[in-house]
Amino acid sequence: MKKVSVVIPTYKRDKCLIDLLNCLFIQDYWNLEILVVDQSEFLSNEKQLLIKQYPEKLKYYQIAERGRSLAKNYGITFSSGDIILFCDDDIIVPSNFVSTHVDTYKDKSIGAVSCRLVEDGQPAISVKRPLRTTAFGRLINIPYSTESCYVTSLNGGNMSFRKEVLDQVGFFEEYFSGTSMVEEPDIAYRIIQIGYKIYFNASITVMHYPQHNGNIAEMKNKRADWFYFYFYNLSIFYLKYKRYTNMILVLFYCLLLSIKHSVKYKLSGTDYLKMISGYFKGFKRGVEISKLSFSRKYYTPIRLGKKGYSSLT
């Protein structure tokens, strides 16, 4: 039986994190470990109680550094499973959640998996390619599709990997900023490059309950900042892999999307310029990154022993 490491990055979300952990403690798949990577400053009494209650199952790490990709990489560093399964802290999963991910890997050609993820009110529709990235940079993310199929990207709410695949392609790219948009297409691209497939399994449903400090809320409350980092990350993604022919299309996409949101949400000229500047700042950074050797892993030194790291188990 393959061992599964469930990694949960979290930041100031006690209630939903505890709800998710309680779901994971009653899974029908027993050979798993749960690693929580907490970037919060303080631990609530409820979290401390869970740590004491499940010492063999739950590993809890509190880190001072911030970053979504960084937290995932910490999780990889301390995982011991054959399959590494990442969960957002604001999801609720069925009892066969882990076993469904594991069963999907019976096909040895599959290197990564995401399962169906739904928010309240979303329709049950069938989409042939629900997770993918277009040539001009639009991220297609329709995780509530009811059709299982091969895809070219992943949904960050729940995604798993063969450990041996991550050993080959490296860690999550910490150059991505803001809400780390594009990190899923980026790691998916590397997996496909080495000959593995990515599968979207719609046989189970994971519920997603967006929080006030989540990705969707960030876009609504700080729209110019959100798109700045989105465009910044897009530029890095395409330039890192020397996909130069895509860059003109990406630029036009960024320009048109900025105009659309500026008009629709009555943003200022300053906001418009800020959004567009993300593309050019990312372009500069992407050129620097594209010069790096592709033989190395996409992660600077593992942070064992670095100041700010502490383990609570």
Side-chain angles (χ1 to χ4, degrees):
M1 177 180 276
K2 292 183 181 297
K3 183 176 182 180
V4 179
S5 297
V6 182
V7 177
I8 311 169
T10 188
Y11 176 66
K12 292 185 177 181
R13 291 181 176 179
D14 285 14
K15 184 182 183 305
C16 61
L17 171 65
I18 291 171
D19 289 342
L20 170 59
L21 288 173
N22 285 327
C23 290
L24 293 172
F25 291 142
I26 57 171
Q27 289 292 298
D28 63 9
Y29 194 89
W30 64 267
N31 192 18
L32 77 157
E33 61 178 2
I34 302 168
L35 299 89
V36 175
V37 183
D38 195 340
Q39 296 171 304
S40 309
E41 294 88 349
F42 305 103
L43 292 177
S44 65
N45 292 332
E46 292 84 356
K47 286 194 286 190
Q48 293 184 47
L49 180 62
L50 278 179
I51 294 169
K52 293 178 181 178
Q53 190 175 356
Y54 296 94
E56 295 182 0
K57 184 82 71 176
L58 178 62
K59 298 179 180 179
Y60 209 98
Y61 302 96
Q62 188 175 20
I63 61 175
E65 292 181 279
R66 301 275 169 76
R68 296 174 188 241
S69 300
L70 181 149
K72 292 182 178 71
N73 290 336
Y74 265 106
I76 295 171
T77 301
F78 298 110
S79 294
S80 60
D82 305 296
I83 295 171
I84 302 181
L85 170 55
F86 295 92
C87 296
D88 280 356
D89 57 8
D90 54 359
I91 63 174
I92 295 296
V93 301
S95 60
N96 61 340
F97 171 64
V98 174
S99 61
T100 299
H101 271 268
V102 174
D103 287 345
T104 310
Y105 288 103
K106 289 179 180 177
D107 183 341
K108 294 183 179 180
S109 70
I110 293 174
V113 176
S114 277
C115 289
R116 184 171 185 257
L117 184 142
V118 176
E119 297 174 10
D120 284 337
Q122 285 182 327
I125 60 174
S126 176
V127 180
K128 290 186 176 180
R129 293 191 297 159
L131 304 175
R132 58 190 171 91
T133 305
T134 67
F136 54 85
R138 181 185 175 192
L139 305 185
I140 307 298
N141 186 34
I142 311 175
Y144 47 91
S145 173
T146 58
E147 182 174 341
S148 297
C149 57
Y150 293 108
V151 291
T152 55
S153 187
L154 290 153
N155 178 264
N158 77 105
M159 55 184 177
S160 63
F161 305 82
R162 293 184 190 271
K163 178 58 166 60
E164 63 195 66
V165 170
L166 290 180
D167 288 340
Q168 292 181 62
V169 302
F171 293 74
F172 286 90
E173 183 57 273
E174 293 181 21
Y175 292 120
F176 295 133
S177 301
T179 59
S180 297
M181 290 283 287
V182 189
E183 71 172 0
E184 293 92 355
D186 176 77
I187 200 164
Y189 184 80
R190 283 182 262 148
I191 291 170
I192 292 170
Q193 275 188 320
I194 63 171
Y196 282 93
K197 297 178 181 177
I198 298 172
Y199 196 72
F200 174 73
N201 192 331
S203 66
I204 62 168
T205 298
V206 174
M207 293 304 301
H208 180 217
Y209 298 96
Q211 302 297 301
H212 67 89
N213 59 347
N215 189 28
I216 296 174
E218 186 78 12
M219 183 178 70
K220 291 180 178 178
N221 299 328
K222 300 178 180 179
R223 196 168 296 271
D225 290 335
W226 191 92
F227 278 100
Y228 169 90
F229 288 116
Y230 177 28
F231 299 158
Y232 176 88
N233 294 339
L234 278 179
S235 289
I236 290 177
F237 172 62
Y238 284 100
L239 282 172
K240 187 175 75 169
Y241 300 108
K242 298 180 170 63
R243 296 170 66 179
Y244 304 126
T245 55
N246 294 95
M247 291 306 298
I248 295 177
L249 296 175
V250 173
L251 175 58
F252 278 111
Y253 171 65
C254 294
L255 289 169
L256 292 174
L257 197 58
S258 297
I259 291 172
K260 174 184 175 180
H261 281 264
S262 294
V263 172
K264 184 175 182 179
Y265 297 99
K266 299 179 181 179
L267 303 180
S268 67
T270 301
D271 287 336
Y272 174 80
L273 292 174
K274 181 172 188 177
M275 288 189 283
I276 291 300
S277 68
Y279 171 89
F280 295 102
K281 293 289 182 64
F283 191 101
K284 179 180 178 181
R285 186 62 172 140
V287 170
E288 296 172 354
I289 294 170
S290 68
K291 295 177 181 178
L292 298 176
S293 170
F294 275 50
S295 62
R296 73 170 183 85
K297 292 183 177 181
Y298 295 100
Y299 181 57
T300 48
I302 292 173
R303 291 167 163 74
L304 285 170
K306 185 170 182 177
K307 182 180 180 182
Y309 159 77
S310 64
S311 171
L312 301 181
T313 54

